Amino acid sequence: MKTSVETIDDLNVKLTVEVEPQRVKQAFDRAARELAKQVNLPGFRPGKAPRRILEQRLGTGAVAQAALEDAISDYYVEALQEERINPVGQPELDVERFDEKEGCAFTATVEVRPKFEPPDHTGITVTHPDWQADDDDIAEQLESLRERFAEVDEVDRAAEAGDLVTLDLTVEIDGEVLEDTKVTDALYEIGSGGVTPTLDEEIIGKQAGDDFTYVDTLPEGYPEHGGAEATFRVHVTDVREKTLPELDDDFAMTASAFDTIGELRADLRNTVLRYRIESAQHELRSNVLEAYLARVDIPLPAAMIDSEVEERLHRIEHQAQQYGMEADALLEAQGTTREEFETTARDEATNAVKARIVLDELAEKMSVGFEADDIEEEIVRHAQRSGMAPEKVAEIIQQQGSLPMLVGDIMRRKAIDEIVAAASVEGAPDDQTLIEVGLLPDPEAVGNVDADGDGATDETASGLIVPGAAGSGDDDAAGEEPKLIVPGRD
């Protein structure tokens, strides 16, 4: 096989391939054998008819077409490997000849990644996003914790805002009851807006045993009847008053593992502060990466962007199926249209493709490496994001042969780590604050631990811990924002 490459522009190359006649003849013979297995010819067992008899019945063109379809992809892949071309889309093939005597000649025009030198990743200066937590933040978390431990008692009075009521509810449209909406003995908090805003207004002043009716409009995203005017029929079974516990030491011992309200407040402060810092660090990664990408101006392969857009469309359609809805209805419920979603998806896909290309080049330039532990950590990370067991994620990766993609995720994340580490960050939390909230180990606690038992003192790494990762195809190349978990007892 002879191959040559011609660069058409920054994103396209033309691959010229010539294959010797002997290999083409082998392709014809192989195609004839396969066709013989599919055709019943009188006097011959399946797969045993001679090629000349097969060509007499089907025509020489049928054998040639089957041979071409079977062989051309093999020739193309072999030529790509020979010329070390990594295409990002399907080729545009132009077959000049495919003949047993003259061999095969074809050209393949294909889109590739742009070639460029990634710029220096140092010298970036950014301001750390706000990470402080104030008294209002702590009070909000305490109030949420009080709600979890509130006492609810049935009362013999009219319902007021903030009460809980047990109710039965049916919805009618043009006199027809929507069976899927009927609820019985449902506990509803007045003011939550969980049904329609009008219910919160109408139910105030009602008592146990009362029945009432009101008219309201169903939400736009409601299946089949979104935006329709409906009649709501409500029966109040009982009224319950919610009493929040006092913020004292007894509450602290009930709601947490702490003995005093002061200890609980301090722990909540650290929890909220840790969440704020992790969220800010996540945003910091995005800001630093964005600043670095702004230094790069390269053309982007349309095939990669189109693939990213298709993936986003596939995800929204899959999500809609899970809700038993059409994709357009789900988008409408989310306050957007398909056209707006596709526009946003293309913008996000363009940014994601640029980040992937640039980070891959930077990782190669810096010779970023990885170890087996990195793969295990990445599998755990994907498991946490998907809600699956790490073993299941590893099994899926093996089945799909997506380990190279996983390695790419690792390399890109490490490249972002290098960019962030080299940036000058103003207004970041100091090490003492990070130690207090558990984002840095305390040197006084672990600095002299002989972890490996070799008699030597182990050193503790210091510096900013920045969570998050670059994911292939993720909207945000800097990773997923952390979740706030308020600790309860046990």
Side-chain angles (χ1 to χ4, degrees):
M1 175 184 290
K2 295 181 180 179
T3 62
S4 62
V5 177
E6 174 189 353
T7 299
I8 298 176
D9 54 38
D10 291 338
L11 295 176
N12 293 276
V13 297
K14 184 176 182 180
L15 181 63
T16 300
V17 182
E18 293 185 9
V19 183
E20 56 271 20
Q22 180 181 358
R23 291 188 61 182
V24 176
K25 183 180 185 308
Q26 292 172 351
F28 270 81
D29 292 340
R30 185 168 57 251
R33 289 193 298 270
E34 291 300 318
L35 284 174
K37 297 177 182 178
Q38 305 169 22
V39 179
N40 292 322
L41 295 178
F44 298 96
R45 288 179 296 169
K48 298 300 182 180
R51 176 179 164 184
R52 60 181 181 81
I53 301 298
L54 190 68
E55 289 179 335
Q56 288 175 3
R57 173 62 67 90
L58 302 179
T60 57
V63 177
Q65 183 63 32
L68 175 63
E69 292 175 356
D70 179 62
I72 197 70
S73 60
D74 292 338
Y75 300 158
Y76 171 65
V77 172
E78 185 178 337
L80 290 177
Q81 295 173 345
E82 180 71 22
E83 295 293 342
R84 297 183 179 180
I85 296 174
N86 185 21
V88 296
Q90 295 298 317
E92 181 181 330
L93 295 175
D94 182 11
V95 180
E96 298 177 9
R97 66 176 182 272
F98 189 77
D99 185 84
E100 292 179 273
K101 295 181 179 180
E102 298 183 7
C104 174
F106 69 93
T107 60
T109 303
V110 65
E111 200 169 25
V112 295
R113 291 188 176 208
K115 293 183 178 180
F116 66 100
E117 178 69 18
D120 181 18
H121 65 283
T122 63
I124 296 175
T125 300
V126 295
T127 299
H128 198 290
D130 181 34
W131 53 270
Q132 300 284 354
D134 56 27
D135 291 341
D136 290 340
D137 297 319
I138 312 306
E140 181 180 344
Q141 294 302 318
L142 276 172
E143 195 65 21
S144 176
L145 203 54
R146 291 178 73 200
E147 290 282 348
R148 289 171 53 186
F149 288 87
E151 294 183 359
V152 179
D153 299 301
E154 190 173 334
V155 292
D156 185 18
R157 61 167 174 78
E160 301 174 356
D163 283 343
L164 297 169
V165 293
T166 305
L167 54 78
D168 303 335
L169 181 145
T170 60
V171 182
E172 298 178 4
I173 294 181
D174 297 329
E176 180 182 351
V177 176
L178 303 183
E179 294 294 334
D180 292 342
T181 66
K182 294 177 66 174
V183 295
T184 303
D185 289 335
L187 194 61
Y188 180 78
E189 183 175 1
I190 300 176
S192 65
V195 181
T196 69
T198 304
L199 174 60
D200 292 326
E201 301 170 5
E202 295 287 340
I203 204 168
I204 291 178
K206 303 298 189 296
Q207 299 189 45
D210 285 352
D211 294 283
F212 65 95
T213 301
Y214 70 94
V215 177
D216 206 345
T217 302
L218 290 172
E220 289 294 334
Y222 195 88
E224 297 185 26
H225 302 287
E229 187 176 87
T231 299
F232 295 77
R233 302 189 184 279
V234 184
H235 170 75
V236 181
T237 302
D238 60 46
V239 178
R240 306 183 187 189
E241 184 178 56
K242 182 170 59 176
T243 304
L244 298 178
E246 294 294 328
L247 288 175
D248 53 23
D249 293 346
D250 289 338
F251 171 69
M253 287 187 286
T254 300
S256 71
F258 301 103
D259 295 330
T260 68
I261 190 65
E263 291 173 333
L264 175 57
R265 286 181 185 275
D267 184 73
L268 281 176
R269 174 190 174 278
N270 282 348
T271 300
V272 173
L273 190 56
R274 178 186 178 117
Y275 168 76
R276 285 292 185 88
I277 292 175
E278 288 181 330
S279 298
Q281 289 175 340
H282 169 86
E283 185 179 348
L284 173 66
R285 285 177 70 86
S286 296
N287 294 345
V288 173
L289 177 59
E290 182 179 357
Y292 178 68
L293 294 177
R295 297 179 173 183
V296 184
D297 184 16
I298 55 173
L300 301 175
M304 293 183 70
I305 296 175
D306 292 342
S307 177
E308 289 286 342
V309 173
E310 287 298 321
E311 177 61 26
R312 282 162 171 75
L313 292 174
H314 173 75
R315 286 203 295 264
I316 197 68
E317 289 171 356
H318 179 69
Q319 184 180 359
Q321 289 176 358
Q322 291 180 318
Y323 289 115
M325 304 171 64
E326 295 293 331
D328 288 347
L330 177 59
L331 291 171
E332 185 177 356
Q334 295 175 350
T336 187
T337 65
R338 178 175 286 271
E339 291 74 17
E340 292 171 341
F341 177 82
E342 290 180 353
T343 298
T344 301
R346 184 159 293 277
D347 291 340
E348 292 173 347
T350 300
N351 294 334
V353 167
K354 180 178 181 180
R356 191 184 313 163
I357 291 175
V358 173
L359 290 173
D360 286 346
E361 288 292 327
L362 181 62
E364 183 176 351
K365 178 182 179 180
M366 295 189 299
S367 299
V368 172
F370 69 96
E371 301 175 356
D373 289 346
D374 294 327
I375 296 179
E376 183 176 346
E377 290 174 4
E378 193 70 14
I379 289 175
V380 170
R381 175 179 171 271
H382 280 270
Q384 292 172 341
R385 295 183 63 179
S386 63
M388 294 190 296
E391 296 80 7
K392 183 62 177 178
V393 174
E395 180 183 344
I396 293 174
I397 290 171
Q398 184 176 11
Q399 291 174 347
Q400 296 180 347
S402 53
L403 182 59
M405 296 177 60
L406 191 74
V407 172
D409 288 345
I410 296 171
M411 305 292 274
R412 284 186 284 274
R413 187 182 72 247
K414 288 195 170 188
I416 296 178
D417 290 341
E418 294 288 343
I419 299 172
V420 173
S424 175
V425 181
E426 300 174 355
D430 57 29
D431 283 359
Q432 185 57 41
T433 300
L434 296 175
I435 291 171
E436 290 175 0
V437 300
L439 289 176
L440 272 184
D442 188 346
E444 296 182 1
V446 300
N448 295 317
V449 175
D450 181 16
D452 50 16
D454 61 1
T457 299
D458 297 309
E459 295 183 358
T460 302
S462 62
L464 185 64
I465 295 180
V466 186
S472 176
D474 289 347
D475 293 348
D476 181 1
E480 183 182 57
E481 186 172 349
K483 304 291 189 298
L484 175 60
I485 301 177
V486 177
R489 187 166 189 165
D490 296 327

